[in-house]
Amino acid sequence: MWSSEVTNMIITGIWETLYMTLVSTLVGYVIGLPMGIILTVSDKDGIKPNAVLYKILDVIANIVRSVPFIMLVLLIPFTRLVVGKSYGSTATIVPLVIAAAPYIARMVESSLKEVDAGVIEAARSMGASNFTIITKVMLVEARTSLLV
């Protein structure tokens, strides 16, 4: 019943699943973290409001989050362009990243919006630049909710 062939297939399947999950999560964070920061900063209540930029990223995030499985099929030509084939564990990472990034961006946006406005205002009153407020205040204050 449990031949070495079955054991090897199970081990291979577990390895490929871990590979796809870890790589797509890491690359998704590389895309989603900046996207979430930009969504937070460019919001109407953000530290540098930009309605056009916010609306563009908001629409992209909402569309991709609404139809992630359709995106998997629509991205087959793009996946083939990037990876060279449209099947397999490496090729699966491309649509997984594109589907995961907006979810991560919304999570980051939500976490950063939980930061107390008084802390941001205190940093601003001490002369902190927007970059310093984002990196030294907002991301540090939201670290716990970003990691959990």
Side-chain angles (χ1 to χ4, degrees), residues 97-113:
V97 166
I98 293 173
Y103 286 100
I104 295 168
R106 289 295 186 191
M107 181 195 70
V108 169
E109 179 187 19
S110 172
S111 295
L112 292 178
K113 284 186 175 182

Side-chain angles (χ1 to χ4, degrees), residues 32-97:
L33 184 65
M35 186 175 173
I37 292 170
I38 293 169
L39 279 166
T40 304
V41 169
S42 64
D43 188 17
K44 65 180 177 181
D45 298 326
I47 59 176
K48 190 166 173 79
N50 185 337
V52 174
L53 178 62
Y54 180 80
K55 195 64 180 167
I56 290 169
L57 290 177
D58 185 52
V59 168
I60 290 170
N62 288 338
I63 289 173
V64 174
R65 284 179 47 210
S66 299
V67 288
F69 299 109
I70 294 172
M71 294 295 293
L72 297 175
V73 175
L74 294 176
L75 288 171
I76 289 174
F78 179 70
T79 302
R80 201 174 285 135
L81 178 73
V82 172
V83 180
K85 59 183 182 175
S86 60
Y87 60 91
S89 54
T90 303
T92 305
I93 292 172
V94 174
L96 283 175
V97 166

